[in-house]
Amino acid sequence: RAQQYRDMADATFLKAQKATDPHLREQYLNMASNWHSLAQELEKGNPDPEIIPPEQVATLNQQQKES
């Protein structure tokens, strides 16, 4: 799954490089960054937010912050 997120980051980064509109380029770069962050979180062993219900992800995230 992390590889899928990395592939999405790469694809959106390529779109950012081709974008001529600065606002659109910024949106693509933000999206690429978010995909990359998701991949990193999975590689750290954190739960995939697409698989675990959002309320459970929020609880797990809060528990990690407290520990």
Side-chain angles (χ1 to χ4, degrees):
R1 188 82 160 172
Q3 185 58 49
Q4 286 178 314
Y5 291 160
R6 290 213 183 278
D7 292 344
M8 293 300 292
D10 291 345
T12 52
F13 182 73
L14 291 174
K15 285 186 179 267
Q17 288 182 315
K18 294 177 183 178
T20 56
D21 180 309
H23 180 69
L24 184 59
R25 181 181 303 121
E26 182 181 353
Q27 287 180 323
Y28 279 131
L29 289 173
N30 286 336
M31 195 180 309
S33 177
N34 289 334
W35 282 120
H36 180 72
S37 294
L38 280 170
Q40 286 183 316
E41 289 300 311
L42 286 181
E43 290 168 347
K44 290 179 189 175
N46 293 325
D48 187 338
E50 288 190 11
I51 296 175
I52 297 176
E55 60 276 3
Q56 188 176 353
V57 170
T59 301
L60 291 170
N61 287 339
Q62 184 62 34
Q63 289 171 349
Q64 285 181 339
K65 287 179 186 177
E66 292 172 358
S67 59

